[in-house]
Every structure is written in C-alpha cells, then in structure tokens.
C-alpha cells in the first residue's frame, strides 16, 4: 500500500480478489548468530531489527518507516540502517566520497567458489601444501643436505621424493578446482536482460589495475584454450557426452533451467504494445553469447494492454466521490497508488534492454526477466505481464519444491513497461541491510508524485512499503508469467541465498587431523634419537687417549660441542624416514582410488537421470565410516515431493483404495507377508481402477481424464455420484468436488493435443493434487477469468466468481474461498486441519457426521496419509458486504496488516457445515524406510531438519519408520518468546530421564555412542529452536535430544539447520553427515563433516556445495555402510602399518650407531634409504588401503552392526598407534641383531678370498631381512589374501634383490660393487632372512590367534559365519537385501535391538513391534498443553476405546481398503485418542467451536444430506 507523509486518513481499496499473505512468516535468526565471517563485511553499517513479533505487535522498520505503517516527519531525517538506492536522482553529498564517487560499495554479482586463479595456483597451492608439517620437515632436510658438512651423499637425489609428492598433489588439487571454476563460469556467464545506455548513479566503473588486467588476460587465454580443446573433442565424439563425462562435468541446474529462455514463442504480427528492442529470442536464434551484450529482435506476446491510463476517480492523488453503484454496493472509492514515473521528465530515450551476463548486474540496475528464466539477483518487482501485477516463482533451486509462490509488483511501478519508462522514473529505494532471513524483507520506495496538469506544482511526497511479497530471490525461476520488470537490491554474496550458504569450508578428515599429532610424536622420537647421537658423539670426541687420536685427522667441528651439534643435524638426515612423507602421497592415492570405486559403483547409479554417486571431495572418504549423526532435509530428500490423492470421506461415507508404505511397514511388523498381501491389494486396486474409469466415461466423456494420472481409485464414488445411493449422497459428492475445484489458488496450464492435457501449477503440491482429483471426477478447472474460475462440471462449462481468497498460513492452518455461484448465492468454502475445521463448525449440529468423519480421518492418518477437512457456509448479501468492508479496511491497513486480515478472516470462517475430508499421500522415495532402518541398526541417529510444517514432518516420520506408536512424543513448542519458559520445559523433560543438564552429564554423553532406546522422540519448531540454541539452553537441549531416538526440527531456516549440526558436532564430539537437495540445505551440508547432495530431478544447488552427490536417499546406506566402513578400516590399517615399517627401518639404522659412537655412518647404501618408501614397501601398504576387504558389500549391508566400530572410532586409536610402534621397535632389534650376531664371532670369506664383513655388505644382510619382514607383516594384517595381494608382496620383496643386483653390477656403485653376487651366494644370508622373519612375526601371529580365538570381535565372528556358508543366501540378491530375511549376528559386541514392553502385553523385539502411523500417545511426562502440533493441535484427553472391539463392516457396501485397514487396526489398538498430534475420532466428535456463535440458521442447498 502507498502512504503519504502528511498523515491524512487512509482510504480503502476496491474488493481484493486474492489477498496473499507473505511467504511463511518465520522469525529469523538474530543477527549475532549469523556467521561472523559473512557479517564482518557489514560491520560498518548499522543493522536494523529484522524480527517481527506477533505478540508484541512490533513491526520491522527502515529509516523510520515501519513496514506498512505511516511515516512521520522525523522519519525523513532518520539515519538509514540499511542502504539507499537512487534511480535517476543525483546522489546527495552525504552519499558521495571525496572524489565524488558513490560512497557505498556493493558486492559484484560474480560468484567464485574456486580457490585458485591461473596466476595464484602455484604459490597458493604450495602455501597450502606446506601447511603439512611433514612437507616442511622434508624441505628442511633437503636444505640441510645441501651442506656437505652434514654428510648427505647426494642432495639432489634426496629432493626427488618431495618434488614428486608436491607435483602429484598439485595436479589433484588443480583438477578439483578447475571443475569448480567451470561451474562458476557457467553461472556467471548465464544470460539475462538489463537496462543499458543509462546512468546507474549507485555504482561507478572502477579503473582496472594492471595486475587485474594481467589476471583477466591469463584467465581468458586459458579458458579459450580449454574451450577450443573441448570443442574439438565434441566434434570428434559426435555421440555427445558419455556417462562418465556427465557425472564428472555436471552442469549447474541454473544453466539447465535457462534452456527454456530460448523457447518463448512470439508473433511479430500480433497487435500489442511495442516492446523493447531486445526481448527474448526465438527458438531458432543463435544461442551463443558474444563478447559483449547480444541483442535480439523479437518480443514475447501479451494479452494485456499497457497504455497509460489516468485513474478517473483520482485527481493528483486525491479520491473523487464514489459512484452511485459504489454507494449501492457499499464499496469504497478506488485508491490512488501513485506512480514512480515522472510524467514531466524529459529523457533522451536511448536506454534499452540488452542481453548481458549475470556477472555484469549491479545494484540499482533495471532488469527484465522472462518466463522460465532464473532470477540472477535479489530483485524488487516493479511490473509484470499480469494485469493484477502478479508473478509466480518456483523455488526448487532453493528448497527442492516445485510448487509455485506468488509475488506482487509494487503498485507504484505497474505502469513501467518499456525502457523509456524506466528512464522517466525518479525514486529512491530504502532497503534493509543484507541478512540471512529468507522469509522477511523490509524496504520502502519513495518518490514525488507530480501532476502533469500542474507542471509548476511541487508534487506530493509518496511512499510504498516493500515486503517479501515484492522480492524475487536469486536462484528462483519465473513461471507462468510472460515477463517481469524489476530493480536489483542485492547482488552476489549479499543475496539472501548466498548469505545462507556461508563460506565454503575446507574439510579435512578426522584421521587427517589426528595424523598430525602422531607425526609430531614421531618428531619427538626423532628428536631424542638425534639428541642421543649428538651427545654421545660429542662425549666421544671429548675423551682423550683413544684410538681416534691415532687414526682420525680430527673432528669436523673442531670441538666436542660443535661436533655434537653437527651430529645432531646429520642424524636428522640419516633418520629422515621416521617421519613418513610418503604416507601423505600414499593416502592421496588411496583416497583417489576409493573415490573412483564409489563413483563406479553401479548399485548407486540412478538411471532415471543418468547419474552415479559422484565424489566432490576426495579426501574425506574415511569420515564416511565414522558417521554417528545424519541430518536430513525432508522435501525432495526423503520424499519425492509428489502428492497423490488417495482417499476421502464425504457425508460420512469413505471412498478410495490405497496401499501405503506406512501400512506395509505396519503389516511387516505384525508378521504379515507384505509381498503377498501387497500383490493381492494391488491386483484389487487395478481392477477397481478399470471399473472406475469405465464408469466415469459412461457418466461423462471427460477429455481431460488420463488413465495413467488417476490416483483416486473409488468406483463406489462414481456410483454414488450417479445417484445409486440416493439424491442426498449425490448432492454431497457434487458439493464436495465443487469445493475442491473452487477453493484453491491453482493456475491452469493447457497443453494442446488430442486429447488436450491440463497441468496445474500450485503454491502447494497438496492443492494441485486436490484440483487434479476434481478434474478426474469431472469437475475440471479450465482456467481463470478476470474475476472468477471457469469449471467444466460433468461436461457443462460454468463460471464462478471468486469474491475473496483467504489463503493458508501456518497460524491459520486453513484457507477459504468466497464464491458467487451461477445462481447468485454466495458460498464460503474452507479447507484445513481437522481440529481447526471442527472447532469452527456450527455448534450442536451434525453429530453423527462429525463422528463418522472423525473415525475416517483417524484411519487415514494411521495409514500415513495427510488429512484435510472440507466445510462450507452460505452467506447472504448483506452479511458479505458488511464483512467485505472490514476486509477492505484490513487489506488497506499500514500497521499490522497481516494480523488484521487474519482477524477479519477468522470472523467469517465460523458456523461452518462439514462436507467431509481428504487423504493425500506424500510418497517417499524408493527404499527410504528400509534405508533408515538399516542406518538405525548400524547405530546411526537420523535427525530431520525441514522447513515444512510440524504435522507434515510427523506424517513422514511415521511413513519412514522414524516414529512409531510406542514412542512418547515430546512436542517442544514455546508460544511466547520466553527463555524462562523454554528452560522450564527443558528441565521438566530432562527430569524424566534423571538428568539436570550439567557439564558432568555432557562429559558422559560424549563418551556414550550407543543408540538411545526407541521410547522417545522430539518435535520442535523454528521459533522454539531459536530459544534453545542460545548459550544458556543449548547444552540442556542437546542432552535431551541425546536421549531420544528421533528428532524432528520443523519450520527451521537454513542458518538454523547449520546451527543444529554445529551444536551436535561440537557438543558431542561426533562425526556428522548432512543430506539435502536444495539451496536451503547448503549451510548444513557445509557445516557437517560430510555433506551429501541429492541430485534428483529438482534443483542441484546442494550438489554443487556437497562432498558427495547421489541420485536418491536410499544410496546413502551403501555409501556409508559399505564404502564408508571399508574406507575407514582400510585407511586406519594402512596408517598404522606405515608408521610400523618406518620404525623398523629407522631403528635398525639407530642400533648400528651404538657400535660406531653415533658418528652417523650409513649402515645401508643411500639408495636403499631413498627407495625404501618409494619402491620396496609402498605397494602392499597402498593396495591394502585400496583393495583390502574384510567382508563383502552384501554382508556389510546384511550386518549393519559392523559399522559401530567406526562410530566408536576403534579402528584408529592411540593404543593401536603405540602398539604398532612398540612392535616395530621389537622387530627392528631382531632385524639388526640377527645380522650383527652373525658377524660378531667370525667373518665370512667369499670364494675369491675377499671378506663380506664390510659395512655395505652387512647392510645388505640386514636391509633384505628387514624388507621381507615388513612386507610379510603387512600381508599378515590384510583380511583378503588373493593372487593380487600375494603378487604385490612378492614383487616388493624381490625388488630389493633386483635393485641390488642391477645397481651393484656397475662400478659406479663404488664400494657396493659386486655386493649382490657376494652376499646372495652365502647360505648364511638365506638362513638369516628366514629366521629373522619367523622370530619377528611370531609375537604378532600369536597375539592375533589369541584375540580371534578367545576375544573375537564382530568381524571375526561374521567372517567365520561367511566361511561356514551362513550368508550364501545373499548371493541370490543383486544389491538390496530384504531385512526380514537376514540371519542374526551372534556377537559379543553386536548389541541386540532393545525390547520395550508393550502396554498390557508381552514384550516384542523392535522389528516385530507393530507400528501405527501416524498416531503417537503422549505420556504424563511428555504432554505439552501448549502444543498445537500435527493435524489438529488439540489437547490430550486420556480417552481410549476398548481393546476388544470387534471388526465393523463399512456401511452397506464393501469398501476393501477401508475395512481391511480398520480391521487391522482394531485388532491391535482401536483408538489413538491420546495422541496430541493427530486428533482421534472421539475427540473430534466432542470438540465444540470456541469461535462459533449461535447466529440464525441458514439452509445450504443439499444440506439435508450433510447433517
């Protein structure tokens, strides 16, 4: 609405056909919770309040202008708390800097997620690599070796290992970053249309520095080279991209979605307005963007005339007297909103809309967006192609949902159509500071309204508030709207979605983080070894009268202290292998191979979209094996976001046949063979479908009915619609379908064809499902006229006038439409949550219908279906006109407009007449319940973090077996923003578990990795979550959640999702994984240790920020339980063996120093020292990390409890590290002293008389034995022995013989010449090697035998069972293993599933206990009297039916699905009235309206059948 600063009385507008509340009003996070790294950019600006609290009535304001409130004079001079954007108005002096340029600097719209540029890659990558302490150490060793004084025989050769490692790592980093750069460029260079050849005063073209020119030139050169190369490859491969290329070089969804920009049809001959010279192109136009802006010549068509019209009832912003007709109808005069176009302004007319890149958009630009285009920045809508100023956006790239949202153009900008109009505008936009709140925006447009009839007049100052309803967010897509024209307020990193995305973290695996500590331990050991060497050498040279006085020429240092110092650093070079530099490159190779295996796993390939599991980060695969908490989005992640109308109840009669996943899960737990039962039910449903389609076509040849789209299978409904059950039921069915066809905000898209096809675009997929079912039953929504809806009712077209639409929001839990019927009657149709509708029914009427409908809705809810109630009310003309006046006043209000609209709507939605109820299934993705069950058996806890409403999340919780009826549901909902009340609620629930929330309890919780008992679950909404995430309550909330099997956080913002992940990850010191599919999941994906993006059919924003991308949620079980567990166990064993082998080798050198006074003499040839980690011992330990396998993938899935060792982090511990270190020291002693003791008593002479007791040849004895021992030790630690591993071990052992033979064959080996034939020809050598290997490996062999026989682990037992053939049945399955057919694993560590006792019955195992979704019984400890959760929000009553109630037939005609479900439920528990989340039939029956009065009764047509 427009406000005038003079404060004159506001006038109301004409009756508004569709009043839309803002996108769900969720209180945003406090700004101090926003990531500090992001907000640092805005510290120089004052941050205004972003919160709007319903209870206190506070409204967000900007520059003194409260949103939709009247400004005061003081507001004019109030200092802005955000930004002021000027359009065709010179900047004031206070908005300029000293040079006259704009003082405000805004972010570019160019987005960069890559780390490097072509010029910065080498220095920056080296900088990152030398953060690795081992790399720094080896660089230091190389620098030491340059100086001859430290005794390095070949300094150049010693640098080769480090150079190779740095090069290979750089190549890997470069490939990863190049892919990110390509994706960035595709988005930044996406086309859009912006106004050019005009002056945007808010920005100035900065002078590009020489350095920036060099960077840009380098980047362009490399890009041109790459594009030429790829273009050549594409020409050579005419078949297009392969499967591998598609996954590794995936395209951003934003670019995919933009393909339709080139398919907008236009007719150049059509009479209409002359659009700008550069609108959307035709399909056959060239699609390539040029180096600069590209123009096109054609325009989209529109049916709306854009001629400027003066409002006949306004003069200079004033209202004329209402007409006689207006007086008769009681309507107020038309409101004059004003226009930001200055009619007196003279402009050159050079401005035009041209195609440009996204990255070129700046704050203050005018942009034109066409249908199907993506929004390039945060844009305020000025005008649209719709006469009412509406446009529709799809947010699937933000939240994964395909339902459309409605946005409104500013009233003051709706006359803008052409580029010339934009030039003639003069106004200022005051906008709030960029913030993360996706659901709220506060701003204002200010201008001077001038009258062309009074050019000398000063004009009237006017303003119009800007809210989230007027804002299009970056990443959304325009739908069902030819075009919109808007202005840019936020760009780049300041857009709301980018602020929610946060800064891309650099993730390192937990093992990699711990590894530095163990490397430091090795440094400590190395330090003491070098210190001992230096001290002993110094003391030795300090002694007098020793043999060195006669045989040495003096020491290098000249004095004992300097000699010791030199020896210390020489020892660093000698013992350099103790610090495993090759370990890091080996781990890179292993992780790369693991990533390739994950990518190549065909069981994680989603053929529907041709997408495999794609690793984005290659260095955290081992983290997948330690995940304890999984945080999942709901919509598009757990569900398909596809709603299907399944059942309904009309006038007390249930209709519909369905077999839901929740029902199948319940029957499975009852011991029913669901495969046989499902086949029988599906056969019956198929027969009923055929019959229904035949009956429908006999009744009406509906051209819009498509057999494959029919989801509501109810042949008895068609029979009743034809009047077989009497006139009353026929009228009731017709009235019900009319309600579905009229009470909605759906948009109809007609696809020509034979027969034609209608597609419904709705703000909610539920609405689309309801309207689609009405269409299938003969009540087809053909489209909308200017003020109504056109229906095809059983073959006859009728027009219904829509007087008002009162839309759904979370507080109302209902929506209504006031319709003028063709016969002149005014009917209000209302649909909403059952308790909300029941509380508004006419008191004392329809008792029988209430009871029956309540029973049916309860039964539908138990099947996991989403339920709604449908009601209506007839209004007389006087009542409606009186209410409409109040409604218009509320719609025109500036202060608390939404609250006033809500109150007015509440007044009319009373004394309703119940029609019936609907049941819709939000289908889960395939395999979700089984995947969740499998993850739960593995000890993984799953939390659902969703922006959806509470009841929806609870429905899904039951459908996917996260919740069951034996759980006590803790509904945490604090109505008031009261920290003390939240603390009291937490204390009450903690007390039930015997906790107080102390630090000691948190310390215990951090060590407890066991799964909580399946007795409790928590549901919390976003407002309450904001309270408990405060420092004061966070620890208590965390401890409470730790005790619950399932946690569902509803109505949470993206930043709140990240905060929850951060709380659990840091508070409990656990490994976390986040999975989502939308841009609103990016923050939690980046916050978690591992982020997984769902690359479904929706947007792929989450994929681009994830570490792993999968096509479906069910693939997560294989990614974690198979590849994650393998990777973690392999890497843990690899690292331990790597440290071990280095210890053996280095300490063998150390023991030799004892016998030469620690003078740093090399026992082994220097080539041995360089090659030991590169060749002699590298292959077995690397392939252990790549291919070792304890059990197969099928067994890993069949026994998910094996994963628990990863959760408890038992594969890599300090105990294991020191055990391997001590074992290595022991074996080094044996390896050295076996050779030493051979030569101690005697010498060995060869056949030519030469001795072999010199240092190089003794070194061959010891080195060869050591290499044999090390490789056999690695083989012993492998689980899988096959020909490949045996071959690799053999090759590694033989390599030292091969190298010794080749190297010593040349005289250049100096003293080493001919050492191979001389040593290998001695029997003592071979005997010593065999004895050394046996003595070294005997303790390890004995320890392993004892552990596996007397202290077996889970894996030992399972491997034994595998060898006995107990898992041979798994070979019958390709990938999926039915849980019910798995054998139990007997193990001391595999804990049995908990067995809670049934109420009043025998205890059952968890997988045998029945589940009754979606009812949950509250207990005395968990009931929350304030909770308004689920589909009703009513309080606990404690009512319960008898448990021995017999099955009941359904009325007088068999209804198989309903009777089957009711019979199944009645055998177990007939009533779920105790639920506080789903209203039971008995409670609904007794529920009387607290909102309804007792007005005079009015009869509705067909009413007798409904009461």
């Amino acid at each position: 609405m427009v406000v005038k600063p003079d404060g004159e009385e506001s006038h109301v507008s004409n009756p508004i056909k569709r009043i839309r509340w803002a996108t769900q009003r969720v209180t945003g996070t406090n700004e101090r919770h926003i990531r500090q790294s992001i907000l640092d950019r805005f510290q120089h600006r004052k941050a205004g309040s972003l919160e709007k609290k319903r209870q206190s009535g506070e409204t967000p304001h900007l520059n003194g202008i409260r949103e939709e409130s009247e400004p005061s004079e003081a507001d004019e001079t109030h200092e802005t708390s955000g930004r002021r954007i000027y359009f065709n108005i010179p900047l004031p002096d206070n908005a300029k800097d000293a040079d006259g340029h704009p003082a405000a600097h805004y972010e570019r719209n160019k987005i960069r997620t890559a780390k490097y540029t072509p010029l910065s890659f080498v220095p920056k990558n080296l900088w990152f690599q030398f953060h690795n302490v081992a790399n720094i150490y080896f660089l230091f060793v190389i620098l030491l070796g340059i100086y001859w004084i430290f005794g390095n025989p070949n300094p150049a050769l010693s640098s080769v290992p480090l150079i190779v490692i740095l090069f290979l790592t750089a190549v890997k980093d470069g490939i990863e970053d190049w892919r990110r750069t390509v994706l960035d460029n595709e988005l930044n260079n996406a086309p859009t249309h912006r106004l050019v050849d005009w002056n945007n005063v808010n920005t100035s073209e900065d002078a590009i520095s020489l350095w920036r020119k060099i960077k840009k030139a380098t980047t362009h050169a490399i890009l041109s080279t790459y594009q030429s190369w790829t273009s050549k490859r594409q020409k050579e491969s005419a078949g297009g991209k392969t499967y591998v290329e598609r996954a590794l070089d995936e395209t951003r969804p934003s670019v995919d979605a933009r393909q339709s920009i080139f398919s907008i049809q236009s007719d150049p001959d059509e009479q209409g307005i002359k659009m700008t010279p550069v609108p959307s192109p035709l399909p056959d136009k060239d699609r390539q963007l040029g180096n600069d802006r590209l123009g096109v010549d054609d325009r989209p068509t529109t049916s709306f005339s854009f001629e400027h019209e003066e409002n006949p009832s306004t003069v200079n912003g004033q209202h004329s007297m209402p007409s006689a007709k207006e007086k008769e109808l009681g309507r107020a005069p038309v409101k004059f909103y004003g226009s930001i176009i200055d009619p007196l302004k003279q402009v050159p007319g050079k401005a035009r809309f041209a195609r440009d890149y996204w990255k070129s958009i700046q704050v203050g630009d005018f942009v034109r967006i066409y249908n199907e285009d993506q929004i390039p920045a945060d844009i305020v809508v000025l005008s649209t192609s719709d006469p009412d100023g509406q446009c529709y956006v799809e947010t699937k790239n933000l939240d994964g949902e395909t339902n459309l949202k409605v946005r409104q153009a500013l009233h003051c900008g709706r006359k803008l159509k052409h580029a010339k109009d934009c030039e003639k505008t003069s106004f200022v936009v005051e906008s709030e500071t960029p913030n993360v709140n996706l659901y709220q925006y506060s701003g204002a447009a200010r201008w001077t309204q001038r009258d062309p009839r009074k050019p000398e007049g000063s004009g009237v100052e006017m303003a119009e508030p800007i809210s989230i309803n007027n804002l299009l967010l970056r990443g959304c897509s325009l739908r069902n709207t030819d075009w919109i024209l808007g202005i840019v307020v936020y760009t780049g990193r300041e857009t709301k979605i980018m602020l929610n995305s946060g800064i891309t973290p650099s993730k390192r695996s937990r093992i990699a983080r711990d590894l530095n500590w163990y490397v430091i331990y090795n440094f400590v050991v190395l330090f003491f070894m070098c210190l001992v060497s230096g001290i002993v050498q110094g003391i030795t040279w300090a002694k007098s009268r020793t043999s060195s006085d006669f045989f040495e020429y003096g020491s290098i240092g000249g004095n004992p202290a300097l000699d010791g110092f030199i020896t210390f650093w020489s020892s660093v070079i000698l013992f350099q292998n103790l610090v495993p530099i090759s370990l890091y490159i080996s781990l890179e190779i292993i992780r790369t191979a693991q990533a390739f295996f994950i990518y190549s796993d065909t069981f994680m390939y989603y053929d529907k979209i041709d997408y495999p599991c794609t690793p984005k980060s290659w260095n955290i695969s081992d983290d997948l094996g330690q995940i304890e908490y999984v945080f999942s989005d709901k919509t598009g992640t757990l569900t398909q976001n596809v709603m299907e109308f399944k059942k309904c109840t009309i006038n007390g009669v249930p209709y519909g046949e369905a077999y839901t996943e929740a029902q199948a899960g319940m029957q499975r737990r009852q011991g029913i063979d669901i495969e046989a039962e499902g086949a029988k039910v599906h056969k019956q449903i198929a027969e009923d479908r055929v019959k229904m389609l035949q009956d429908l076509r006999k009744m009406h040849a509906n051209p819009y009915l498509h057999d494959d789209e029919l989801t509501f299978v109810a042949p008895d409904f068609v029979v009743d619609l034809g009047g077989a059950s009497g006139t009353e039921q026929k009228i009731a069915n017709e009235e019900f379908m009319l309600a579905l066809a009229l009470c909605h905000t759906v948009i109809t898209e007609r696809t020509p064809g034979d027969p034609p096809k209608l597609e419904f675009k709705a703000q909610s997929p539920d609405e689309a499902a309801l309207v689609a079912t009405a269409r299938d039953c003969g009540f087809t929504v053909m489209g909308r006229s200017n003020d109504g809806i056109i229906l095809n009712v059983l073959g006859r077209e009728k027009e219904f006038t829509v007087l008002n639409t009162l839309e759904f929001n979370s507080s109302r839990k209902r929506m209504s439409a006031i319709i003028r019927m063709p016969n002149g009657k005014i009917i209000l149709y209302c649909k909403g949550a059952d308790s909300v509708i029941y509380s508004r029914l006419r008191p004392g009427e329809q008792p029988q219908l209430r009871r029956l409908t309540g029973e049916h809705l309860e039964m539908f809810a138990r099947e996991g279906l989403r339920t709604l109630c449908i009601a209506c009310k007839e209004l007389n003309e006087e009542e409606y006109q009186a209410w409409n006046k109040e409604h218009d006043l509320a719609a025109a209000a500036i202060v608390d407009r939404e609250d006033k609209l809500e109150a007015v709507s509440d007044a009319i939605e009373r004394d309703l007449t119940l029609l019936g109820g609907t049941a819709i299934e939000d289908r889960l993705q395939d395999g979700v319940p089984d995947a969740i069950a499998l993850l739960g058996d593995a000890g993984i806890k799953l939390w659902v973090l969703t922006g959806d409403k509470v009841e929806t999340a609870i429905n899904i919780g039951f459908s996917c077996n996260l919740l069951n009826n034996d759980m006590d549901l803790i509904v945490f909902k604090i109505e008031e923003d009261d920290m003390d009340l939240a603390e009291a609620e937490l204390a009450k629930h903690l007390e039930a578990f015997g906790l107080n929330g102390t630090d000691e309890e948190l310390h215990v919780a951090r060590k407890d990795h066991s799964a909580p008992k399946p007795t409790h679950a928590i549901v919390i909404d976003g407002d309450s979550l904001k309270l408990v995430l405060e420092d004061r309550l966070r620890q208590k909330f965390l401890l409470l959640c730790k005790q619950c099997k399932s946690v569902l956080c509803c109505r949470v913002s993206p930043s709140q999702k990240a905060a929850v992940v951060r709380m659990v990850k840091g508070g409990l010191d656990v490994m976390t994984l986040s999975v989502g599919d939308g841009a609103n999941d990016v923050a939690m994906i980046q916050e978690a240790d591992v982020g997984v993006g769902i690359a479904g059919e929706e947007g792929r924003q989450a994929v681009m920020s994830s570490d792993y991308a999968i096509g479906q949620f069910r693939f997560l079980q294989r990614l974690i339980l198979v590849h994650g567990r393998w990777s973690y166990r392999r890497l843990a064993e690899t690292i331990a063996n790597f440290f071990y082998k280095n210890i053996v080798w280095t300490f063998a050198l150390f023991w030799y120093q004892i016998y030469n006074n620690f003078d740093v003499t090399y026992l082994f040839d220097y080539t041995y020292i360089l090659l030991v980690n590169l060749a002699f011992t590298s292959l077995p330990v690397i392939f252990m990390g790549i291919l070792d396998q304890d059990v197969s993938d099928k067994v890993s899935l069949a026994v998910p409890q094996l994963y628990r060792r990863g959760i408890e982090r038992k594969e890599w511990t300090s105990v294991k590290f020191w055990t391997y270190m001590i074992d290595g020291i022991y074996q080094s002693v044996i390896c050295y002293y076996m050779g030493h003791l051979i030569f101690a008593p005697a010498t060995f002479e060869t056949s030519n008389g030469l001795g072999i007791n010199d240092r190089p040849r003794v070194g061959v004895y010891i080195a060869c034995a050591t290499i044999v021992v090390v490789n056999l030790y690695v083989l012993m630690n492998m689980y899988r022995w096959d020909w490949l591993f045996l071959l690799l071990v053999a090759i590694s052992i033989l390599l030292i013989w091969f190298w010794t033979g080749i190297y010593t064959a040349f005289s250049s080996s100096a003293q080493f010449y001919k050492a191979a034939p001389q040593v290998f020809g001695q029997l003592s050598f071979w005997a010593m090697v065999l004895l050394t290997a046996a003595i070294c490996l005997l303790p390890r062999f004995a320890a392993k035998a004892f552990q596996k026989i007397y202290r077996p682990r889970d894996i030992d037992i399972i491997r034994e069972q595998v060898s006995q053939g107990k898992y041979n049945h798994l070979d019958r399955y390709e990938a999926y293993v039915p849980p019910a057919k798995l054998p139990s694993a007997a193990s001391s560590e595999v804990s049995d599933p908990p067995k809670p006792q049934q109420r009043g019955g025998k205890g059952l195992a968890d997988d045998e206990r029945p589940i009754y979704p979606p009812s949950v019984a509250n207990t005395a400890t968990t009931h929350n009297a304030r909770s308004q959760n689920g589909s009703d929000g009513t309080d606990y009553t404690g009512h319960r039916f008898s448990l021995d109630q017999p099955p009941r037939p359904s009325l007088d005609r068999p209804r198989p699905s309903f009777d089957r479900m009711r019979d199944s439920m009645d055998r177990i528990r007939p009533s779920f009235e105790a639920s506080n989340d789903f209203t039971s039939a008995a409670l609904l029956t007794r529920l009387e309206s607290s909102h309804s009065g007792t007005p005079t009764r009015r009869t509705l047509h067909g009413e007798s059948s409904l009461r």
Side-chain angles (χ1 to χ4, degrees), residues 1212-1435:
W1212 177 244
T1213 62
S1214 295
V1215 173
K1216 183 172 186 174
F1217 169 77
W1218 290 113
T1219 299
Y1220 276 73
M1221 293 282 282
I1222 294 171
D1223 200 5
I1225 292 174
Y1226 158 77
Q1227 294 185 28
S1228 70
V1229 171
I1230 302 300
C1231 288
Y1232 173 75
Y1233 279 100
M1234 286 294 289
H1236 177 87
L1237 294 176
I1238 287 177
F1239 290 94
T1243 61
F1244 294 88
E1245 307 296 336
T1246 61
S1247 57
N1248 61 4
L1250 296 178
I1252 58 172
N1253 60 343
D1254 59 317
R1255 177 184 55 81
R1257 284 153 184 80
V1258 172
V1260 174
Y1261 268 79
I1262 298 175
C1264 290
T1266 302
I1267 295 302
V1268 170
V1269 168
V1270 166
N1271 284 294
L1272 290 179
Y1273 187 83
V1274 173
L1275 180 64
M1276 183 184 297
N1277 290 326
M1278 289 181 181
Y1279 278 107
R1280 180 176 179 175
W1281 285 17
D1282 55 21
W1283 67 269
L1284 179 60
F1285 278 121
L1286 294 174
L1287 178 63
L1288 290 173
V1289 171
I1291 289 175
S1292 297
I1293 292 174
L1294 294 175
L1295 266 177
I1296 191 169
W1297 271 274
F1298 176 78
W1299 172 253
T1300 305
I1302 297 297
Y1303 181 56
T1304 60
F1306 298 95
S1307 58
S1308 58
S1309 59
Q1311 298 180 15
F1312 213 31
Y1313 183 62
K1314 296 294 184 180
Q1318 295 168 2
V1319 173
F1320 297 160
Q1322 301 297 315
L1323 179 62
S1324 60
F1325 170 78
W1326 301 103
M1328 179 257 188
V1329 170
L1330 292 176
L1331 285 174
T1332 301
I1335 298 173
C1336 286
L1337 300 179
L1338 184 61
R1340 181 67 174 178
F1341 179 82
K1344 274 183 169 289
F1346 177 83
Q1347 179 264 314
K1348 293 182 183 299
I1349 295 172
Y1350 297 103
R1351 300 285 299 275
R1353 296 174 181 154
D1354 292 346
I1355 188 61
D1356 301 321
I1357 296 173
I1358 299 302
R1359 282 170 58 84
E1360 184 70 20
Q1361 292 178 343
V1362 170
S1363 65
Q1364 294 172 358
K1366 293 185 178 180
Y1367 289 91
N1368 290 344
H1369 66 281
L1370 298 179
D1371 295 335
R1372 299 197 303 267
Y1373 305 101
E1374 186 177 19
Y1376 170 68
V1377 183
K1381 299 184 179 182
L1382 299 180
S1384 60
S1387 169
S1388 58
E1389 291 183 24
V1390 178
S1391 59
D1392 294 330
K1395 299 180 179 180
Q1397 294 295 317
Q1398 293 283 348
R1399 296 182 179 92
K1402 178 181 176 182
L1404 295 175
D1406 183 53
D1407 56 349
E1408 298 173 350
R1409 188 172 60 253
I1411 176 173
Y1412 311 106
S1415 281
V1416 177
N1418 286 305
T1419 67
T1421 60
T1422 60
H1423 170 61
N1424 182 357
R1426 295 181 185 82
S1427 66
Q1428 296 294 322
N1429 238 346
S1431 60
D1432 62 312
T1434 55
D1435 290 338

Side-chain angles (χ1 to χ4, degrees), residues 251-504:
T251 306
R252 283 182 183 259
S254 55
V255 177
D256 291 340
R258 299 187 62 81
Q259 303 300 328
S260 59
I261 185 176
F262 306 102
S263 62
I264 299 176
Q265 300 292 335
S266 62
D267 183 1
D269 298 326
E270 181 179 351
Q271 295 300 319
I273 66 165
K274 172 114 176 120
M275 298 294 291
T276 58
V278 197
S280 186
L282 286 173
D284 55 352
K285 294 291 182 183
D286 185 9
R287 295 177 53 178
Q288 293 294 329
L289 282 173
N291 293 330
D292 201 349
R293 309 179 184 93
L294 295 181
V296 288
D297 302 323
D298 300 301
R299 59 176 180 82
T301 61
T302 176
S303 60
F304 180 54
S305 175
F306 297 118
E307 296 301 325
H308 292 274
E309 296 180 2
E310 291 295 330
N311 195 319
S313 61
T314 60
V315 179
N316 196 22
Q318 305 301 317
H319 294 271
S320 64
M321 294 299 294
S323 66
K325 184 175 181 180
E326 288 173 332
K327 288 182 178 180
E328 179 182 349
L329 294 178
R331 296 181 180 176
V334 176
K335 174 70 177 179
F336 177 63
Y337 294 101
S339 175
I340 55 177
I341 297 178
D342 186 350
L344 303 177
K345 187 174 184 178
Q346 300 297 321
V347 295
K350 295 181 179 180
R352 60 190 178 89
F353 281 100
R355 288 184 66 191
D356 208 340
Y357 299 118
W358 275 28
K359 64 184 180 183
S360 302
I361 290 178
Q362 298 175 315
V363 171
D365 276 347
F366 286 90
V367 293
R368 190 189 294 278
I369 310 295
Y370 292 102
N371 190 33
E372 305 295 334
D373 281 5
Q374 278 209 345
I375 311 303
D378 288 355
I379 295 171
V380 172
V381 185
L382 295 180
S383 64
T384 76
S385 59
D386 186 81
D388 295 331
Q390 296 173 354
C391 63
Y392 301 89
V393 292
E394 187 177 60
T395 61
K396 69 179 182 181
N397 283 343
L398 302 183
D399 52 23
E401 295 186 1
T402 56
N403 49 295
L404 302 183
K405 276 77 173 179
V406 181
R407 293 294 180 263
Q408 300 279 352
L410 295 180
H411 290 91
C412 60
R414 294 186 182 180
K415 292 185 177 180
L416 268 73
K417 304 300 177 296
H418 310 286
K420 183 177 181 181
D421 297 334
C422 298
E423 281 188 291
K424 297 185 69 175
T425 59
S426 295
F427 64 105
V428 177
V429 169
E430 296 172 347
S431 173
E432 65 184 5
T433 301
N435 63 81
V436 299
N437 194 334
L438 292 172
Y439 305 108
Q440 195 174 41
Y441 175 77
S442 294
R446 293 181 177 275
W447 72 97
T448 300
Q449 186 65 46
R450 302 181 65 184
D451 190 346
R453 292 168 294 187
K454 299 180 181 179
E456 69 283 356
S458 59
V460 179
E461 296 296 326
M462 302 190 73
E464 181 174 354
I466 306 174
S467 69
I468 192 67
N469 266 346
N470 312 114
L471 189 68
L472 302 184
L473 300 183
R474 177 187 174 112
C476 297
S477 299
L478 189 67
R479 294 285 186 265
N480 299 97
T481 309
D482 287 344
W483 56 265
I484 68 102
L485 194 153
I487 52 175
V488 178
V489 291
Y490 300 136
T491 52
R493 289 179 294 175
E494 292 181 344
T495 57
K496 288 182 177 289
I497 194 59
M498 293 304 297
L499 288 177
N500 274 278
S501 298
I503 296 175
T504 303

